[in-house]
Amino acid sequence: MIEPTLACIALLLGLTCAAALVAQSQLGRSIVYGGSLVAASASLLIALFSLAAAPSTVTLPIGLPWTGAHFRLDPLSAFFLVVVGLGSIGASLYALGYGRHEQDPQRVLPFYPAFLAGLNLVVIADDAFSFLFAWELMSLASWALVMSHHREPGNAHAGCVYIIMASFSGLALLLCFGLLAGSTGSYAFTAMRAVHPSPGIATLALVLALIGAGSKAGVVPLHAWLPLAHPAAPSHVSALMSGVMTKVAVYGFVRIAFDLLGAPAWWWGTLVLAVGGITAVLGVLYALMEHDLKRLLAYHTVENIGIIFIGLGLALAFGANQLPAAAALGLTAALFHVLNHAVFKSLLFFGTGAVLVATGERDMDRLGGLIHRMPKTAFAFLVGCVAISALPPLNGFVSEWLTFQAILLHPDLPQWGLKIAIPADGALLALSAALAAACFVKAFGITFLGRPRTRVAADAREVDRFSLAAMFGFAALCLFAGIFPGVVIDLLAPVTQALTGTHIPTQLGVEWLSIVPIESARSSYNGLLIFLFITVSASLTVLAIHRFASRALRRAPAWDCGFPDPRPDTQYTGASFAQPIRRVYGAVVFRTRETVTMPPPGDTGPARIEKHITDPVWDVFYQPVASAVSHLSLVLNVMQFLTIRRYLGFVFATLVILLLALALWQ
Amino acid sequence: MTHGFAFDVAHMLAGSLVLVSIAMLYQDRLYALINVLALHALVLAAAVGWQAYIQQAPHLYITAGIALGFKAIVIPMALRRMVFRLGIHREIETVVSIGLTMLAGIALVALSMMVMLPVTAHADPVAREDIALALSVVLIGLLMMVTRRNAVSQVAGFLSLENGVNLAATGAQGMPLVVEISVAFSILIAFIVIGIFLFRIRERFDTVDLQALDAFRGERQ
């Protein structure tokens, strides 16, 4: 079944070439995005059918000579192809409408299908060379898309940071595969599975995989590029980068850690859990401080990657202790969250893109009251907000609930390290879920509720039908996966079966469409029931309010129509909403300082409040590295202006030293 | 016996190439250097021709022919003309120090023996000796390029380096002819380009001493 997938990828690559020719014309947009939509739909269908099928492989005579390019479609690849396919369909459909507002289509259209092709190729690659090639294709194409509006302030900086981080992740993965290839020197994944590296090598490979895949996924402290690059790209590309590309990075980690490395050590789980917990909490704290919608969403991607890595860490910890059922539960939770996050984060980026098209603004403190002007976008965005805040009955709740179910299994583990680390991670997860809810109350409330803060917000208009179709399609998916989670869990069964040796109980036979991850005496959840309950009780509440409160007689001051102060500036802003949380956590984590300057008596100037936030990650990790690199290049600058003979001399000396080393080594 | 004889001759020819390389290090006048370069190519042609005979590989005769025709006759004559037209035939180069350079050359031969002989322990003995000696020819060529200042003698170092590569390639059996020919052509083209550049440099700066060029490089302005 892999050949049709390759055909889809070939179609996407063909579209890239075609796009270079037709990008300028009016028809170009429809051809590229329509073609991408067709290819992505076909790829999604194939992937859905091959989820439960036996792995199929193919070797193409391209790539490295004597090696060829190996491709393989197994359940794990198929699942991630589903995620990529869903995201691509949504983004292509959305872009059919959104792309109309693109000023330089020739900078976006050729790279878009190439980016999709790269995403698809990574998950089916079956040797290190093809994998890294596809990985770099994905990075470079997305970099070109980030740089498409390179003249806007900040975008060139974002592109620079992004390409550095992308090369860094490629380098780490290259070294990781080098270690895994071992002495046989074969880069095919089948050969790597057969080699069992020594514990030291395996640990080093895991750490490199965590760094390489993690920096692409956005694990703290390697997340610095996400909040820069995501806002710089066009919105449908932001959605793909945030919703899909980070998931492909997760795929890279899963493939290496669960498939290629062999039996895990128990404390790998601790490492991944620690990284996941810190990423989740720091990501959401960053997000709370933001008032740029796209940057806020980018930081939330960091948080959700943390949640996914917590699930993966649980699976590693349980797997190392021969508790396959619990490992399968952790892995199911993580992969379910991968799917969920791809759906709702794309939806939220589409919503942000719609707001951007309607108003030209991403800063929520310059928006407000959009629910009156753009009710449909507001509704879809609200569904996304509820889903990402992990509120029932939507899908985000199910995957986080499953993660908690896996966390609650920790007393079965023998190691005290894990017994302490896992509940601590549970606490971090709970904290991040609560803060995420607060953050999306802010994001939705400040942007869509209240009164418009600027003229552009007051004049906003609802977006086109394609964009709305994409948003509502994803909103429906959120609801579907939330009230029928058993369907998704059963689809994931072959994946966990392949990676952990077992899967959690089949859910579709359970009565009333409940899900029972372990056993019914322990825990169960019924999304449909909760959905019905919420619908009924909310309707009754609305009825009651309209019946009894709206018509009730109230007394108010004359002539102010219910608004004591009519200026929109007096509403809550993003910063003022986040202020309590900033005071509680920010003082420690971000060293926030607030200074209030009151004008002296008699001065008519305004009072000012200034806040200073320092990013600990930049200070602790990036600044030292940057200054070390700059120092080193200053030192090496001497080498810049030598004579030709000296350069030849260096070549000669290096050769002789290496030969000497070789002679003495033997 | 025949194998032993074949081996001895191949060994002798390759060894002579190293000897000529070391002799080249000693030359401090350009005409003498060019003569030794011609001798170098002649010995190479003989070595390759012998390889063609003992390997019964007729295409190696073409390689030997190229070495004889181009490297032993055409290129030295062209270099000689160049030196004459540039008017530097009387020039005595300032070399690092001939005694030191030759000691370094001997050390390089020892080094390449130490590296190559254990590595190729299981290889065919003819190829094994050839490769070890060829590596020393390459290293001495590089040493020549590093220690000389004059552009013409750097060209000579480069050509002797290429001769070493050629020796190694013919010693290993099964080198395709097309590779040989393309290498020969690339050398020829490199030679032409270097020749043109030499005249251009001379036109511009009145010297072919590379030391003088450094002062004119764009970075130093």
Side-chain angles (χ1 to χ4, degrees):
Chain A
M1 282 299 279
I2 189 168
E3 288 83 3
T5 308
L6 284 171
C8 293
I9 293 171
L11 174 61
L12 287 170
L13 289 174
L15 273 176
T16 298
C17 305
L21 300 175
V22 299
Q24 294 283 10
S25 69
Q26 196 53 239
L27 206 57
R29 193 182 73 241
S30 316
I31 293 176
V32 170
Y33 292 130
S36 302
L37 186 63
V38 170
S41 313
S43 163
L44 174 70
L45 277 181
I46 299 158
L48 276 176
F49 279 112
S50 40
L51 259 175
S56 68
T57 59
V58 70
T59 306
L60 295 183
I62 49 176
L64 281 186
W66 302 294
T67 309
H70 302 258
F71 296 103
R72 183 162 183 265
L73 187 58
D74 60 1
L76 180 66
S77 308
F79 170 68
F80 276 91
L81 272 183
V82 170
V83 173
V84 172
L86 271 180
S88 321
I89 291 175
S92 306
L93 183 62
Y94 179 77
L96 276 173
Y98 179 84
R100 196 176 299 155
H101 309 283
E102 182 61 57
Q103 281 153 8
D104 306 308
Q106 75 278 11
R107 289 183 186 279
V108 174
L109 290 182
F111 301 110
Y112 179 78
F115 182 38
L116 294 188
L119 291 168
N120 279 303
L121 268 177
V122 171
V123 297
I124 59 167
D126 197 33
D127 64 280
F129 182 79
S130 313
F131 185 93
L132 288 173
F133 176 81
W135 187 270
E136 294 296 319
L137 175 65
M138 171 179 96
S139 296
L140 281 179
S142 56
W143 175 76
L145 290 165
V146 166
M147 291 293 281
S148 56
H149 301 151
H150 63 113
R151 293 199 195 285
E152 282 173 26
N155 283 8
H157 174 237
C160 177
V161 171
Y162 177 42
I163 195 88
I164 290 174
M165 295 303 285
S167 332
F168 177 70
S169 90
L171 174 70
L173 284 179
L174 180 71
L175 294 176
C176 172
F177 285 128
L179 286 176
L180 287 177
S183 53
T184 56
S186 172
Y187 285 105
F189 284 173
T190 38
M192 289 186 189
R193 275 184 207 107
V195 177
H196 295 292
S198 64
I201 296 286
T203 304
L204 197 57
L206 180 93
V207 171
L208 282 170
L210 192 58
I211 292 174
S215 71
K216 198 85 191 152
V219 160
V220 172
L222 301 165
H223 67 281
W225 62 271
L226 278 102
L228 296 172
H230 290 180
S235 294
H236 58 297
V237 179
S238 310
L240 273 179
M241 285 175 73
S242 195
V244 178
M245 189 174 73
T246 54
K247 305 305 164 311
V248 171
V250 169
Y251 162 82
F253 181 75
V254 172
R255 176 63 78 192
I256 294 171
F258 287 85
D259 191 12
L260 303 181
L261 267 179
W266 69 267
W267 58 271
W268 293 359
T270 330
L271 180 70
V272 178
L273 280 167
V275 166
I278 292 170
T279 303
V281 172
L282 270 184
V284 72
L285 280 179
Y286 276 118
L288 268 164
M289 309 292 139
E290 268 316 323
H291 47 87
D292 178 317
L293 268 177
K294 276 194 176 184
R295 283 174 64 92
L296 182 143
L297 292 178
Y299 277 127
H300 263 285
T301 302
V302 174
E303 182 227 341
N304 281 283
I305 288 294
I307 296 172
I308 293 167
F309 271 86
I310 289 175
L312 295 178
L314 288 168
L316 276 175
F318 288 119
N321 284 298
Q322 274 71 47
L323 293 167
L329 178 56
L331 193 61
T332 307
L335 294 179
F336 200 158
H337 202 70
V338 162
L339 178 70
N340 289 343
H341 184 248
V343 172
F344 54 62
K345 186 47 66 69
S346 301
L347 166 59
L348 289 170
F349 265 110
F350 294 162
T352 309
V355 171
L356 189 61
V357 164
T359 65
E361 283 289 346
R362 295 195 315 243
D363 186 347
M364 63 175 82
D365 286 344
R366 295 175 58 77
L367 297 169
L370 290 179
I371 195 167
H372 302 294
R373 309 288 309 184
M374 312 167 69
K376 292 170 186 161
T377 305
F379 178 73
F381 197 85
L382 180 63
V383 172
C385 288
V386 174
I388 198 172
S389 307
L391 296 177
L394 295 181
N395 55 354
F397 175 78
V398 183
S399 49
E400 291 198 25
W401 183 77
L402 284 174
T403 315
F404 276 116
Q405 294 305 315
I407 286 174
L408 291 177
L409 288 175
H410 73 93
D412 299 349
L413 291 166
Q415 292 95 358
W416 278 101
L418 285 173
K419 280 192 189 193
I420 295 167
I422 294 181
D425 247 36
L428 289 177
L429 182 59
L431 176 65
S432 71
L435 290 176
C439 188
F440 276 96
V441 169
K442 166 182 144 181
F444 186 79
I446 305 291
T447 312
F448 288 96
L449 304 183
R451 280 166 289 153
R453 292 180 177 78
T454 52
R455 199 57 211 254
V456 283
D459 295 341
R461 291 180 50 194
E462 189 60 273
V463 287
D464 57 280
R465 274 171 300 156
F466 287 114
S467 306
L468 285 175
M471 285 190 270
F472 275 93
F474 274 11
L477 268 179
C478 283
L479 189 63
F480 176 80
I483 58 179
F484 303 112
V487 179
V488 182
I489 292 175
D490 286 351
L491 282 177
L492 281 170
V495 185
T496 54
Q497 181 75 43
L499 294 181
T500 61
T502 183
H503 59 88
I504 65 174
T506 307
Q507 304 295 336
L508 277 185
V510 181
E511 65 266 18
W512 296 104
L513 292 169
S514 293
I515 55 166
V516 182
I518 306 157
E519 53 191 84
S520 53
R522 196 168 174 132
S523 57
S524 65
Y525 167 71
N526 190 319
L528 186 60
L529 218 57
I530 289 186
F531 175 60
L532 290 177
F533 172 74
I534 289 178
T535 318
V536 170
S537 58
S539 315
L540 286 178
T541 313
V542 168
L543 266 180
I545 288 174
H546 275 273
R547 185 85 183 76
F548 299 112
S550 302
R551 296 184 188 168
L553 185 69
R554 279 172 290 173
R555 288 187 182 277
W559 307 118
D560 73 5
C561 304
F563 288 118
D565 188 340
R567 279 172 303 173
D569 299 346
T570 56
Q571 302 177 97
Y572 259 109
T573 63
S576 58
F577 185 86
Q579 192 236 25
I581 297 168
R582 195 172 64 233
R583 288 240 170 119
V584 174
Y585 298 99
V588 183
V589 184
F590 302 110
R591 281 184 278 148
T592 49
R593 280 186 296 113
E594 289 180 13
T595 42
V596 181
T597 323
M598 294 297 285
D603 188 352
T604 51
R608 294 191 162 278
I609 177 163
E610 285 174 19
K611 66 172 202 278
H612 299 277
I613 299 182
T614 35
D615 187 340
V617 169
W618 278 99
D619 286 358
V620 176
F621 290 95
Y622 293 92
Q623 213 57 50
V625 172
S627 41
V629 168
S630 133
H631 179 72
L632 199 66
S633 27
L634 267 182
V635 170
L636 289 180
N637 203 15
V638 181
M639 309 262 288
Q640 181 79 26
F641 303 109
L642 295 181
T643 63
I644 300 168
R645 214 160 51 82
R646 287 248 171 84
Y647 283 127
L648 270 178
F650 274 123
V651 172
F652 183 64
T654 314
L655 182 62
V656 169
I657 288 170
L658 289 180
L659 284 176
L660 266 177
L662 188 64
L664 296 177
W665 200 282
Q666 286 162 1
Chain B
M1 183 63 206
T2 47
H3 179 79
F5 177 68
F7 172 74
D8 283 344
V9 173
H11 199 170
M12 185 201 70
L13 286 171
S16 323
L17 202 66
V18 177
L19 190 68
V20 177
S21 275
I22 288 187
M24 202 187 284
L25 281 180
Y26 183 76
Q27 306 306 322
D28 53 2
R29 283 174 188 248
L30 287 181
Y31 277 148
L33 185 67
I34 292 168
N35 287 340
V36 178
L37 182 65
L39 182 65
H40 202 264
L42 202 68
V43 175
L44 175 75
V48 175
W50 185 251
Q51 288 289 346
Y53 172 66
I54 59 175
Q55 289 180 22
Q56 272 128 31
H59 67 264
L60 283 185
Y61 285 118
I62 299 176
T63 312
I66 292 173
L68 189 70
F70 274 127
K71 292 179 187 160
I73 298 169
V74 178
I75 289 180
M77 273 172 66
L79 272 178
R80 198 182 294 268
R81 249 175 77 84
M82 219 182 266
V83 168
F84 181 73
R85 279 182 49 192
L86 288 168
I88 51 175
H89 52 283
R90 285 169 193 280
E91 211 148 292
I92 296 175
E93 282 191 79
T94 40
V95 188
V96 174
S97 150
I98 286 191
L100 264 181
T101 319
M102 302 226 356
L103 278 180
I106 292 166
L108 287 179
V109 176
L111 175 66
S112 51
M113 292 292 160
M114 266 167 68
V115 172
M116 274 304 170
L117 292 186
V119 173
T120 54
H122 305 290
D124 168 39
V126 183
R128 193 179 161 204
E129 290 290 338
D130 256 11
I131 287 175
L133 292 169
L135 180 65
S136 38
V137 173
V138 169
L139 287 178
I140 292 172
L142 209 52
L143 179 68
M144 172 110 179
M145 291 181 77
V146 173
T147 53
R148 298 293 170 113
R149 277 190 185 168
N150 187 296
V152 175
S153 53
Q154 290 213 336
V155 171
F158 176 66
L159 290 172
S160 75
L161 184 156
E162 200 275 331
N163 286 349
V165 174
N166 233 331
L167 180 70
T170 49
Q173 289 183 12
M175 166 106 156
L177 180 66
V178 62
V179 180
E180 285 287 318
I181 290 179
S182 55
V183 168
F185 268 107
S186 65
I187 288 300
L188 191 69
I189 287 166
F191 178 75
I192 292 168
V193 171
I194 289 170
I196 292 169
F197 263 94
L198 275 183
F199 281 101
R200 296 283 304 159
I201 289 167
R202 156 87 175 193
E203 234 169 69
R204 199 80 203 246
F205 303 118
D206 278 339
T207 177
V208 283
D209 188 335
L210 293 180
Q211 204 80 40
L213 288 186
D214 294 325
F216 292 99
R217 289 203 312 187
E219 295 101 325
R220 278 262 170 105
Q221 276 171 358

